[in-house]
Amino acid sequence: MKVRAIDDKHDWIFGKGLQNYKQNREAVKQRIKTHILSWYYDCFFDLEFGIDWKNLLGSRKKEKEIVISCRKQILLIDEITSCENISFNIDEDRTIHLTYSVTDIYGFNISDEITIGV
């Protein structure tokens, strides 16, 4: 599998041909990041795709819903067979620091951290 690379501002990278694509484990990590960073109602061809970050942030009572929503988005990715762990903390600026651990179809464990800011 190949996916176009994104930069720190989450924009696609162009100009270097095939070097602008990620493959294998890095491609899976980027697909997870893209799914987690997608906001509900923001995808014009699938308005129900993404996470309802607007309503989930700012309330301690929504912590379980954040984990469930993130797990759901991760498990939508074809290459993911299981999601072993999702944890996060929210700082005073309502920025989420999410860590996850998953297993892909090749049997590899993939772990990473994603920062979601509003």
Side-chain angles (χ1 to χ4, degrees), residues 46-102:
D46 186 357
L47 294 176
E48 294 184 7
F49 179 79
I51 297 174
D52 192 7
W53 289 117
K54 181 179 178 184
N55 290 315
L56 291 176
L57 294 177
S59 175
R60 288 256 186 246
K61 298 175 185 173
K62 305 278 183 161
E63 291 178 353
K64 189 173 185 178
E65 289 179 49
I66 290 172
V67 171
I68 291 169
S69 295
C70 291
R71 183 178 307 275
K72 177 184 171 191
Q73 286 300 312
I74 289 172
L75 292 173
L76 285 174
I77 299 168
D78 295 334
E79 294 80 14
I80 302 298
T81 58
S82 66
C83 181
E84 288 82 31
N85 182 41
I86 295 178
S87 61
F88 69 92
N89 62 37
I90 303 174
D91 65 19
E92 64 278 352
D93 296 326
R94 293 188 350 166
T95 300
I96 294 179
H97 303 279
L98 179 110
T99 57
Y100 66 85
S101 177
V102 300

Side-chain angles (χ1 to χ4, degrees), residues 4-8 11-17 19-22:
R4 183 167 289 283
I6 56 175
D7 63 16
D8 293 338
D11 292 325
W12 285 337
I13 299 173
F14 295 98
K16 294 184 181 178
Q19 293 178 5
N20 288 134
Y21 288 84
K22 293 188 177 187

